[in-house]
Amino acid sequence: MSDVLTAPKPRRNSELMLLILALAAGIGAQFIVAMGAELPLDNGFVMTNGIFAGLALAIHVVLRIRAKYADPLILPIATALNGIGLAMIARIDLTMPEAQHAAGSQAILTAVAMVAAGVVIWLLKDHRMLRRFTYISLVASAVLLLLPLTPIGVPINGARIWINVGIGTFQPGEIAKITLAIFFAGYLSTNRDLILLAGKKIGPLQLPRFQDLAPMIAAWLVSIGVLVFQRDLGTSILFFGLFMAMIYVATGRISWILIGLAMIAVGGFIAMQLFSHVALRIDSWVNAFDPEVYDRVPGGSGQVVQGLFGLASGGLVGTGLGEGRPGLVTYANSDMIIASLGEELGLIGLFAIVLLYVLLISRGFRAALGTKDGFGKLLATGLSFTIALQCFVVIGGVTRLIPLTGLTTPFMSAGGSALLANWIIVALLLSISETARRPAVTGPIPSTDEQPKVLTQQQTSSRRRPADGEVGHA
Amino acid sequence: MNQAIRTSWIVAVAMFTLLFGSLTYVQFIGAEALTNNPLNRRTVLQDFGENRGSILVDGKPIAESVESDGPFPYERVYNEPNTYAHLTGFFSLSHGATQLESAMQEQLSGTSDSQFFDRIAGLFNGNMGQGASVELTIDPQLQQLAWDLIPEGQQGSIVVMDPATGDIMAMVSKPSFDPNLLAGVNTQVVNENMQKLINTPGLSPYINPATQELLAPGSVFKIIDTAAALESEKYDPDSELPNPQNLELEGTTYELPNYVSGQCSSRTVADFAFALAHSCNTAFANIALELGQDTILKEAREFGFGQELFIPTRVVASQFPEEDLNEPQLAQSAIGQYNVKATPLEIAMMTAAIANDGVQMKPQLVQSVRAPDLRIIEEPQPEVLNTSTSPEIANQITEWMVGTTEFGTATGAQIPGVDVASKTGTAELMQGTTGNNSWYTGFAPADDPQVVVTIVIENVDVPTGSQLTSPNAKKLLEAVLNK
């Protein structure tokens, strides 16, 4: 990384421009859907999009006030993805009976999630505050993961990952993603040195001590537990991947990755042997086009194969929004929304969308590089890597690169819990990027409850030397 | 820590790179294969409810799209559905399209390359969305007669074709079904109907038995043995063939018998005329053992075995074993048993090659494709498929086949004043069952062949089988010759 020491700039105006572009894409797509279906552009349309645009701009204003050095790309990207997702959900509603319409609730949940993001940014002046909640986060994660197994849990299609919260169902696992990331970041940044220095060295591999393996085994058990008791392969992969990434970043040791992969292999093998749903998933991945497998209930490959047909019919440029038949695919607006988007927007459209994800996570990693505290680095890496892994598991599953597991596409799939979780992740990344990009701080790293003092620009550029090669202002 | 963060980022970007790759594969490189996958309902959905072109027989539609009050502007209707079901196939929202509905999809829906300018013109004159109509080579009276000649409850197929052009004049199979049952818009009803059809014994609504069912041809295969023998020059038309009642093979306990109640047992040495007319098994088994498997296999290929065809509906390749056969297996293969399998159309094609001086024409089911303004946009021409044997050998075999009709196993096909060339076959089914596949294949007039008739009645006892083959062939041959 080159250490170009440009003067730090807030770049809020760039963000505003990009935000307007993002809103134009999302609202424009909504407009095309409404036009294509000859729906009236009534108050509902104006209000929904008005609120959406208003909230995006509100977050922008919050950033101007509370975190003016925050990364200028993250908010526009999240807004664009969410807007396109809303349009696609509204478009898929046209193929479904009224009772299953999802666009209205998705718009409301988007609003809730965006408000939550704004609130988090407003309250969380410095992300290091979260370090105080390390062990509370652990408890919270455990509670969140156990909730679906209590009487308020609602099993859907065999998976026990939802709870009934009165007005609807909620997936606590989505939030647990964040609390687990906070716990891992807190725990690893505190115990990093201990883990790093102790342990035997065999050849090039520095093996960890057994007691240092404890958190890894805990993460493994949590993942296996999710798989066994909640029957949710996707989330299980996600949790373990999150932990692997974070422990690797904390220690820089390949040995951890190898141990982790070995644990995945063991866990996966046992799961294949013991749980029919895992074995069925694998079989319907390998033999997807076998007519028997295609029609099998449960565990057939019909969904993924229909998704592939949809993607294929979209081809390079897509059928155009509203012109395809995404309704042929089950869960077209949630697990399979990528297939719906690919059918109507084509390969070119999907490339654009996937590139947005690449940019988003790259900005997250950039924040991790930029911030100077270990906790922030770990948290930003963990959260960014989660989004990347989730995209990989979902899109890889839909395109039959890997077996299909039920996970949401970040910001796009219908489902409030995921939206809420992802917008909070955006808030956290923005907050970390603010510390990363903010002009350097005098004196020692402040304690978490103390506001850091900010230097003027001249002082910064004179003081900043590429001492540790860590920071280059983007 | 930063180095590890960068490595993690590289891992993340690598994952996205894989996604770009798999998306490109699904949406671009492999898209065509996915679109053509038979499980893909989108192609049917695209055209369901459109004003699809008709499938015509002598100008009358056997499949047409008529305006509908239902949820789609048009619905597909099949006229004389059972008689033509195996030709038209079906066009179903939930089960896709088969046979002509599938093979002529582009023309019927108006999306073929030859209709490109019609589509452009349609943008301006409003004449949109009407597909081309497909006229078949089928003769409706002959098709009806063939249909009536297979009794209800029997399983079998009849193919009538013109040996000089390959035009198929009639092609029926029973049991049949009503494709209207599958053309409805109510998916649940259609699924129930499909379930009932699939459970009908002897019926698969997805295939046309005349072109896609592989059957043991039995003695009709001896025509190929004869052609192979004469081509080899180890035999000539006057050769004396050993014709023991039982063919004992060295080193095995297996014995291949001649048909016990037939004429073959009256001679232990026979000429071709006698052996073919009375269908003597041991004579032909001896020929195959003398010539070897490769020679018979090569001859079978020259008569169309091993060749998948699209006429334009799919004709599966008939099979002669390619793996090494021991002597009993080769002896059985020579008389069309063991693993020799042929479609009824292949037997008709083999016969047509003999009738047409050894030249096998490609079978044709489509006569012409017409745009909505009746302009002809496609008109398949007669096409040579194989040169199966020489004219001399073909004429020699014809002469012997005439003998089969005059004094052999096919006397039921005699037509006064006309020389009919015939060959019959009785193929045993699996051991332990009493039924046989009863075959007739032949053509007339022998000196100027106008028509080839092939009949197979499946799983019948021998007397019923012979009642339903040669006498019925006579009726079909007469129907064509009396036109």
Side-chain angles (χ1 to χ4, degrees):
Chain A
M1 195 172 87
S2 63
D3 286 287
V4 183
L5 293 179
T6 48
K9 283 186 187 157
R11 303 244 185 244
R12 292 269 71 79
N13 290 337
S14 312
E15 178 182 79
L16 184 58
M17 296 305 295
L18 290 170
L19 195 55
I20 288 168
L21 279 178
L23 286 168
I27 295 173
Q30 290 259 31
F31 180 76
I32 292 171
V33 169
M35 286 287 96
E38 292 171 9
L39 297 177
L41 293 179
D42 54 6
N43 288 338
F45 181 88
V46 175
M47 215 165 77
T48 312
N49 288 297
I51 292 174
F52 179 57
L55 283 171
L57 293 171
I59 297 178
H60 168 72
V61 172
V62 169
L63 287 174
R64 276 192 188 266
I65 300 169
R66 298 287 287 185
K68 70 172 178 165
Y69 287 98
D71 191 287
L73 282 168
I74 294 176
L75 176 63
I77 292 173
T79 308
L81 290 171
N82 199 337
I84 295 168
L86 278 171
M88 199 64 215
I89 290 165
R91 183 264 170 274
I92 291 165
D93 275 357
L94 300 173
T95 68
M96 300 218 274
E98 190 110 19
Q100 291 172 33
H101 281 193
S105 59
Q106 183 77 354
I108 294 168
L109 293 164
T110 300
V112 171
M114 288 171 92
V115 168
V119 169
V120 169
I121 298 168
W122 186 272
L123 295 180
L124 195 68
K125 181 64 186 162
D126 191 305
H127 64 266
R128 279 165 291 191
M129 280 162 68
L130 290 174
R131 197 172 175 167
R132 280 183 293 180
F133 302 121
T134 299
Y135 287 94
I136 293 176
S137 291
L138 177 64
V139 175
S141 308
V143 170
L144 286 168
L145 286 175
L146 288 175
L147 275 178
L149 303 175
T150 64
I152 59 165
V154 193
I156 301 178
N157 298 332
R160 298 194 61 114
I161 52 177
W162 286 271
I163 56 166
N164 190 346
V165 288
I167 46 167
T169 55
F170 187 79
Q171 254 178 285
E174 290 283 349
I175 305 295
K177 216 161 57 177
I178 301 171
T179 51
L180 274 177
I182 294 173
F183 163 68
F184 288 147
Y187 176 85
L188 291 172
S189 60
T190 309
N191 300 312
R192 184 169 168 246
D193 295 341
L194 209 61
I195 297 172
L196 263 180
L197 295 174
K200 268 188 218 140
K201 200 168 162 94
I202 298 179
L205 289 181
Q206 170 107 38
L207 289 182
R209 288 187 308 176
F210 182 74
Q211 59 263 47
D212 297 332
L213 270 174
M216 182 151 211
I217 290 169
W220 186 68
L221 286 176
V222 166
S223 303
I224 295 284
V226 166
L227 180 65
V228 174
F229 295 111
Q230 308 190 340
R231 312 191 118 227
D232 185 2
L233 183 59
T235 309
S236 154
I237 294 171
L238 207 56
F239 286 164
F240 200 61
L242 167 72
F243 180 70
M244 289 239 302
M246 291 179 77
I247 200 159
Y248 169 67
V249 170
T251 62
R253 293 271 164 76
I254 296 290
S255 58
W256 288 98
I257 302 288
L258 295 179
I259 293 168
L261 289 176
M263 286 169 112
I264 287 181
V266 170
F269 182 75
I270 293 172
M272 276 270 294
Q273 301 298 314
L274 290 185
F275 307 113
S276 61
H277 64 287
V278 177
L280 282 179
R281 279 273 166 84
I282 304 282
D283 181 51
S284 66
W285 173 56
V286 177
N287 302 314
F289 289 98
D290 184 334
E292 260 173 53
V293 175
Y294 178 84
D295 283 326
R296 185 170 57 202
V297 177
S301 63
Q303 186 186 20
V304 68
V305 169
Q306 280 301 331
L308 290 173
F309 290 156
L311 284 169
S313 77
L316 209 54
V317 293
T319 58
L321 210 50
E323 304 293 320
R325 296 173 191 279
L328 289 179
V329 186
T330 39
Y331 296 107
N333 64 10
S334 54
D335 291 3
M336 299 298 284
I337 198 165
I338 283 294
S340 311
L341 288 161
E343 178 175 358
E344 302 214 320
L345 303 181
L347 183 60
I348 294 171
L350 267 192
F351 262 44
I353 288 168
V354 176
L355 270 176
L356 284 179
Y357 285 114
V358 175
L359 270 181
L360 179 67
I361 63 117
S362 299
R363 298 318 295 175
F365 278 105
R366 186 66 192 75
L369 285 174
T371 191
K372 282 191 289 302
D373 65 305
F375 175 77
K377 281 179 185 298
L378 284 168
L379 187 57
T381 308
L383 295 176
S384 308
F385 192 80
T386 316
I387 294 178
L389 188 59
Q390 191 160 349
C391 287
F392 180 72
V393 170
V394 178
I395 304 177
V398 171
T399 55
R400 207 167 150 246
L401 182 64
I402 56 171
L404 183 69
T405 58
L407 272 184
T408 53
T409 311
F411 300 104
M412 301 194 110
S413 294
S417 338
L419 267 183
L420 183 63
N422 288 318
W423 273 104
I424 291 176
I425 289 175
V426 159
L428 294 177
L429 288 179
L430 281 168
S431 189
I432 297 168
S433 72
E434 149 81 3
T435 7
R437 293 162 48 87
R438 188 169 48 205
V441 171
T442 53
I445 298 287
S447 65
T448 48
D449 45 2
E450 187 185 316
Q451 290 299 321
K453 287 180 236 150
V454 178
L455 290 179
T456 62
Q457 273 184 17
Q458 289 86 345
Q459 283 172 306
T460 310
S461 44
S462 61
R463 279 182 63 89
R464 291 283 301 150
R465 289 274 69 98
D468 51 14
E470 282 187 359
V471 186
H473 293 286
Chain B
M1 242 196 243
N2 278 353
Q3 194 47 51
I5 293 174
R6 287 192 194 99
T7 313
S8 312
W9 177 77
I10 289 169
V11 170
V13 171
M15 291 194 298
F16 279 108
T17 310
L18 284 173
L19 292 183
F20 282 124
S22 69
L23 284 170
T24 308
Y25 180 76
V26 172
Q27 292 206 270
F28 189 64
I29 301 167
E32 198 178 328
L34 285 167
T35 305
N36 295 333
N37 190 296
L39 291 169
N40 196 339
R41 283 169 53 205
R42 279 164 197 270
T43 328
V44 172
L45 275 174
Q46 194 85 45
D47 300 305
F48 199 81
E50 299 283 313
N51 189 3
R52 234 170 127 70
S54 303
I55 301 176
L56 304 169
V57 164
D58 200 18
K60 293 209 192 77
I62 51 171
E64 59 184 326
S65 288
V66 298
E67 285 190 47
S68 157
D69 302 328
F72 293 93
Y74 289 87
E75 60 183 331
R76 199 71 169 155
V77 174
Y78 297 88
N79 306 316
E80 297 184 58
N82 290 280
T83 318
Y84 289 100
H86 290 302
L87 301 183
T88 58
F90 55 79
F91 188 69
S92 164
L93 198 52
S94 44
H95 294 90
T98 60
Q99 303 302 329
L100 285 167
E101 290 279 30
S102 163
M104 298 300 284
Q105 157 65 19
E106 289 189 346
Q107 289 85 348
L108 290 169
S109 65
T111 55
S112 72
D113 291 341
S114 53
Q115 282 147 282
F116 177 75
F117 290 104
D118 297 294
R119 289 201 297 281
I120 300 291
L123 290 174
F124 299 100
N125 62 22
N127 188 10
M128 285 296 283
Q130 203 188 342
S133 53
V134 175
E135 172 84 41
L136 303 187
T137 54
I138 298 290
D139 175 330
Q141 279 101 34
L142 215 52
Q143 177 83 0
Q144 187 62 48
L145 175 60
W147 172 260
D148 295 337
L149 289 176
I150 307 176
E152 285 302 325
Q154 290 290 3
Q155 190 178 346
S157 299
I158 295 179
V159 177
V160 182
M161 69 188 280
D162 181 339
T165 60
D167 284 356
I168 295 169
M169 299 152 83
M171 184 149 73
V172 297
S173 298
K174 280 188 182 175
S176 188
F177 65 101
D178 181 352
N180 289 307
L181 293 174
L182 305 173
V185 293
N186 185 330
T187 310
Q188 202 187 338
V189 172
V190 167
N191 287 346
E192 282 167 14
N193 289 340
M194 182 54 119
Q195 209 52 51
K196 275 184 217 151
L197 292 180
I198 286 174
N199 292 335
T200 310
L203 175 68
S204 168
Y206 286 99
I207 70 157
N208 176 3
T211 59
Q212 292 167 322
E213 190 179 20
L214 288 167
L215 300 167
S219 301
V220 293
F221 190 78
K222 288 169 186 167
I223 291 175
I224 288 174
D225 298 330
T226 309
L230 297 181
E231 277 181 30
S232 75
E233 292 178 353
K234 287 183 186 167
Y235 296 84
D236 60 55
D238 303 319
S239 290
E240 293 287 302
L241 309 172
N243 182 35
Q245 178 54 27
N246 284 300
L247 182 64
E248 290 170 27
L249 296 165
E250 264 176 62
T252 68
T253 55
Y254 176 83
E255 288 187 355
L256 184 89
N258 274 337
Y259 191 51
V260 184
S261 57
Q263 297 277 322
C264 291
S265 53
S266 65
R267 295 191 197 175
T268 52
V269 176
D271 56 10
F272 276 107
F274 181 87
L276 207 59
H278 298 291
S279 207
C280 300
N281 290 341
T282 55
F284 290 97
N286 264 324
I287 290 175
L289 294 175
E290 176 72 27
L291 296 177
Q293 181 187 353
D294 290 346
T295 311
I296 306 290
L297 171 63
K298 183 171 156 287
E299 194 67 31
R301 284 192 181 144
E302 282 170 356
F303 275 91
F305 275 70
Q307 226 171 341
E308 184 187 44
L309 296 176
F310 294 89
I311 64 166
T313 55
R314 177 165 168 264
V315 182
V316 301
S318 298
Q319 303 161 356
F320 187 87
E322 298 188 16
E323 73 282 0
D324 279 341
L325 300 177
N326 61 29
E327 290 201 340
Q329 289 166 344
L330 178 56
Q332 286 197 310
S333 300
I335 58 164
Q337 299 271 193
Y338 187 60
N339 280 341
V340 181
K341 297 275 165 62
T343 61
L345 180 64
E346 163 56 29
I347 299 303
M349 287 160 58
M350 172 192 84
T351 313
I354 299 292
N356 196 39
D357 289 335
V359 178
Q360 189 173 48
M361 303 302 290
K362 185 183 177 213
Q364 307 271 13
L365 195 50
V366 171
Q367 188 168 65
S368 59
V369 179
R370 284 174 192 272
D373 59 6
L374 300 183
R375 189 168 39 88
I376 290 182
I377 50 181
E378 282 177 39
E379 193 170 30
Q381 296 300 312
E383 198 181 313
V384 174
L385 186 67
N386 294 303
T387 304
S388 305
T389 189
S390 69
E392 293 74 30
I393 292 175
N395 291 334
Q396 181 59 65
I397 294 175
T398 303
E399 194 187 314
W400 292 331
M401 285 172 72
V402 171
T404 308
T405 321
E406 285 177 353
F407 55 83
T409 55
T411 48
Q414 284 171 8
I415 301 174
V418 179
D419 281 342
V420 178
S422 306
K423 183 74 197 86
T424 61
T426 306
E428 289 172 12
L429 299 178
M430 302 283 283
Q431 278 191 334
T433 57
T434 54
N436 298 281
N437 287 343
S438 200
W439 287 88
Y440 171 91
T441 192
F443 56 91
D447 53 351
D448 176 25
Q450 304 290 317
V451 53
V452 169
V453 169
T454 299
I455 301 178
V456 57
I457 304 295
E458 294 174 51
N459 203 4
V460 287
D461 56 68
V462 176
T464 317
S466 42
Q467 272 310 305
L468 293 175
T469 46
S470 298
N472 285 347
K474 176 194 173 185
K475 290 177 194 164
L476 287 162
L477 293 168
E478 276 182 328
V480 178
L481 298 178
N482 291 342
K483 278 214 156 192

